[in-house]
Amino acid sequence: MFKKSTIKTQIWMKVESIWRLIYKLEFSEKHSERVNEIRESEVLDTLWNIGDKKTVYQKYKKDELFELLEEAGKILNELEEMEKEVQVYVAGGVEFADYDEVVGVSYIRKSFYWSTFLRTVHGAFRKPITFMVRKTNEKEMKIKENWNLEVMKETSDYYKCLIPVEDQIEMSYKDDVIIMVSEEKWRKIKS
């Protein structure tokens, strides 16, 4: 009926989807603990090895591969259900929501790392970021100015800013450069 290599391919497709969801859901405060359990599970290691390595699947019987395929399906279904429940993700102290077309910044905590947030969104979500910067919020205005956020629309209370996917990684390194320059200046001052 099915060749072992066909089952291996189906396992690999599920494993890729599982890892995509794991990377995304680890930023959900609600599900991060369970996601880490799945990530560290022996069954996920086995599934990865079967899908990733050329010949590992050959040491399994066809019915064992079917059982592992079913297990991969169960894990994937559990993660998909978790994803439906998530309202807000958190990365680098920035809370955000995942919409169909964009990721929207909803709240910035007292202690935050904008570059971590940018790298996370780029890696796990691959969507543009919208950020409704409140004109009355000093922290948000400072982020807008420091990061030269592009204003798409302005109202009396807000700036609607957009960070395209292709700019997120480059922009995230700005923070690292500022830190390195600061350390360099500090070393010169110290000597």
Side-chain angles (χ1 to χ4, degrees):
M1 186 162 128
F2 282 109
K3 290 180 181 180
K4 287 169 69 170
S5 62
T6 304
I7 302 168
K8 171 205 186 285
T9 302
Q10 291 176 343
I11 287 172
W12 183 243
M13 290 180 354
K14 289 193 185 301
V15 167
E16 286 180 323
S17 297
I18 287 168
W19 274 105
R20 182 188 56 77
L21 286 169
I22 283 174
Y23 189 52
K24 186 175 180 179
L25 288 168
E26 73 182 337
F27 300 103
S28 156
E29 290 181 320
K30 183 176 184 178
H31 297 297
S32 61
E33 191 173 312
R34 175 64 184 134
V35 167
N36 284 330
E37 288 173 15
I38 292 170
R39 177 200 325 253
E40 301 298 322
S41 71
E42 205 171 295
V43 70
L44 190 57
D45 271 350
T46 302
L47 292 168
W48 175 267
N49 285 330
I50 288 170
D52 188 48
K53 307 248 177 6
K54 271 190 172 180
T55 59
V56 169
Y57 77 96
Q58 293 172 349
K59 72 178 186 179
Y60 290 90
K61 295 178 184 172
K62 198 183 282 189
D63 59 330
E64 291 174 318
L65 288 172
F66 269 119
E67 286 176 23
L68 287 165
L69 179 61
E70 285 179 19
E71 191 62 36
K74 288 177 189 175
I75 293 169
L76 183 57
N77 288 339
E78 181 182 356
L79 292 169
E80 287 171 340
E81 288 302 311
M82 285 182 204
E83 183 183 33
K84 290 176 188 174
E85 296 173 9
V86 175
Q87 300 296 318
V88 175
Y89 297 90
V90 180
V94 178
E95 295 182 15
F96 58 97
D98 181 21
Y99 301 108
D100 290 337
E101 301 292 321
V102 297
V103 167
V105 174
S106 53
Y107 180 73
I108 298 174
R109 295 180 176 178
K110 188 176 183 178
S111 179
F112 71 96
Y113 301 94
W114 191 252
S115 56
T116 301
F117 162 69
L118 290 171
R119 290 176 189 148
T120 299
V121 170
H122 181 79
F125 296 85
R126 297 243 188 254
K127 294 179 182 177
I129 300 167
T130 59
F131 182 16
M132 298 298 285
V133 177
R134 294 173 286 183
K135 291 181 177 179
T136 57
N137 186 306
E138 285 182 38
K139 184 177 6 175
E140 292 177 3
M141 288 299 291
K142 190 167 180 123
I143 290 170
K144 178 190 162 295
E145 291 163 13
N146 288 348
W147 294 82
N148 294 326
L149 299 183
E150 179 182 346
V151 176
M152 301 303 292
K153 185 178 181 181
E154 183 178 350
T155 68
S156 59
D157 300 326
Y158 291 92
Y159 292 105
K160 180 179 181 180
C161 298
L162 180 75
I163 305 169
V165 175
E166 51 277 356
D167 295 348
Q168 292 166 9
I169 289 295
E170 183 180 331
M171 189 180 280
S172 74
Y173 285 108
K174 178 182 177 191
D175 217 16
D176 295 340
V177 170
I178 290 170
I179 290 167
M180 285 188 284
V181 167
S182 298
E183 288 175 2
E184 180 86 13
K185 285 181 182 176
W186 182 79
R187 281 190 210 115
K188 285 180 182 176
I189 292 168
K190 188 179 172 188
S191 7

